[in-house]
Amino acid sequence: MITDYSPMLNPRIKLRHLQAFLEVAKRRSFARAAEALAITQPGISKAIRELEDVLGTDLFERTSQGVALTQAGLTLLRHAGPAMRALGEGVMAVGDRHKGARWIRVGALSTVESRLLPLAIQRWHAQPGMAQGEVGISVVTGSSAFLLSRLRMGELDLVVGRMTEAREIRDLAFEHLYYEPLSLVVRAGHPLAGIDPLPPARLNAFPWVLPPPQTTLRQQVDSFCVRHSLTLPDRLLETLSLPVSLGYVQASDAVWIAPHEAVAGALAQGELAELALSLEARGGSVGMCSNATLNSSLTLEAFCEALREVAAARLDQGRTSHNP
């Protein structure tokens, strides 16, 4: 006889309750959640109300930006997200949709899109034994708040980039790899290129390209402005897209505040020039963030090791270039 000591799920809690809860938590809106699930807004409100009645507590509270999770809601999200994902993977395995496959889902911030992540994927795929069976990686880009929320819900296995300043990191596990500064760059031949020292006030005569509000990188830009008594210019391009930023800067006199890794190649080729003005002393901590409630796989561990190796090689290269 097998004795099961695992906690029993209340039979009144149905799959539709958890689906509704996760969708509202993700979208922070009953209306958008209802649209995503193709049901009416009263229907999703009823599902959440029934779940709250069973649990005996409120899961959401209304704010000026929509709805936010209560402490009880955060606790449920921490467990329900990974559980629903595990259930989905189990159904897929039974259906033989990914037989023998080793798939991982990675969230990437703009700080690692250009070099760290592509090199790590290349190294991971080149490892012995990876040629047998399916090996796949899905990369999602976006802001730290968006990616970390998906990691917490179990929709991502890992988030890579500069994110230690993000409030959403909370109880997630972060492993530091290296420090990455933000740089002020312009097109070759820009009026500010070559001026050393560069007075910060000169920047306001030109358009700026910078990260959007509510991002960790933008927090550093705001701090820079406060330190130098600067106000943002009227002409702004706010984006996390590296191709859009690069194309705009090369065709204009805009000043781009960018992760150094994202512009290192263009700087080396002379397509961009770095201004003689430091935005931060050391830079932010770039690393990888994981959710301890998710079961790690050998495939994910192998990819994390590839990230560590590429980061270590980057640090060694930096030391060599500074000590010929």
Side-chain angles (χ1 to χ4, degrees):
M1 181 179 68
I2 299 177
T3 303
D4 185 5
Y5 294 101
S6 60
M8 294 292 293
L9 182 67
N10 191 312
R12 294 170 58 195
I13 298 179
K14 310 299 182 185
L15 186 61
R16 61 181 177 84
H17 292 136
L18 298 177
Q19 289 175 323
F21 167 74
L22 291 175
E23 203 64 41
V24 174
K26 182 199 305 187
R27 303 183 184 277
R28 299 183 182 181
S29 165
F30 279 78
R32 290 194 293 271
E35 182 179 357
L37 293 175
I39 61 177
T40 64
Q41 188 171 340
I44 203 164
S45 297
K46 180 183 177 183
I48 296 299
R49 189 167 58 251
E50 290 174 349
L51 181 58
E52 290 176 331
D53 288 343
V54 173
L55 297 176
T57 185
D58 292 335
L59 299 173
F60 297 98
E61 58 185 2
R62 297 195 177 276
T63 69
S64 57
Q65 285 79 37
V67 294
L69 287 163
T70 62
Q71 189 56 51
L74 287 169
T75 300
L76 180 60
L77 178 62
R78 184 180 178 186
H79 297 279
M84 289 292 285
R85 181 190 167 192
L87 177 60
E89 290 177 346
V91 172
M92 287 170 58
V94 171
D96 200 27
R97 289 181 57 185
H98 288 300
K99 184 177 182 180
R102 290 165 288 176
W103 288 84
I104 57 175
R105 306 167 191 176
V106 178
L109 295 167
S110 58
T111 41
V112 299
E113 284 185 60
S114 300
R115 291 187 57 78
L116 176 65
L117 195 56
L119 291 175
I121 294 172
Q122 180 186 30
R123 181 180 291 257
W124 177 60
H125 275 155
Q127 290 178 358
M130 297 301 277
Q132 277 123 36
E134 259 184 274
V135 177
I137 181 167
S138 172
V139 176
V140 179
T141 60
S143 67
S144 58
F146 169 71
L147 296 176
L148 292 174
S149 67
R150 294 194 63 179
L151 176 64
R152 179 168 280 102
M153 295 175 69
E155 296 178 356
L156 293 174
D157 299 301
L158 193 71
V159 175
V160 186
R162 171 176 166 163
M163 69 197 99
T164 50
E165 302 94 342
R167 289 177 307 220
E168 293 80 8
I169 206 167
R170 288 178 294 193
D171 55 344
L172 297 172
F174 180 81
E175 179 180 337
H176 169 81
L177 295 175
Y178 57 85
Y179 291 101
E180 180 73 23
L182 289 173
S183 296
L184 292 161
V185 297
V186 294
R187 63 169 175 81
H190 190 280
L192 296 181
I195 299 178
D196 189 5
L198 176 64
R202 294 286 300 275
L203 298 175
N204 272 349
F206 302 92
W208 287 17
V209 181
L210 68 170
Q214 310 306 319
T215 60
T216 56
L217 296 183
R218 181 60 171 269
Q219 294 172 19
Q220 305 310 307
V221 178
D222 294 340
S223 296
F224 170 79
C225 290
V226 170
R227 289 197 306 272
H228 297 286
S229 301
L230 297 176
T231 57
L232 295 178
D234 293 332
R235 294 176 293 170
L236 290 178
L237 169 59
E238 297 178 334
T239 181
L240 290 173
S241 171
L242 301 181
V244 170
S245 300
L246 178 61
Y248 177 61
V249 169
Q250 288 179 325
S252 71
D253 283 339
V255 177
W256 182 11
I257 302 173
H260 187 79
E261 181 175 298
V263 296
L267 288 171
Q269 295 173 12
E271 298 173 357
L272 296 176
E274 187 169 3
L275 298 181
L277 181 60
S278 176
L279 194 138
E280 15 177 38
R282 180 173 62 174
S285 175
V286 173
M288 45 191 178
C289 198
S290 59
N291 186 339
T293 65
L294 300 177
N295 292 325
S296 183
S297 64
L298 292 177
T299 304
L300 179 60
E301 289 298 328
F303 182 70
C304 289
E305 188 57 31
L307 283 166
R308 296 184 188 103
E309 291 171 357
V310 172
R314 178 188 183 281
L315 292 173
D316 290 340
Q317 186 179 20
R319 283 191 288 265
T320 301
S321 64
H322 286 91
N323 300 282

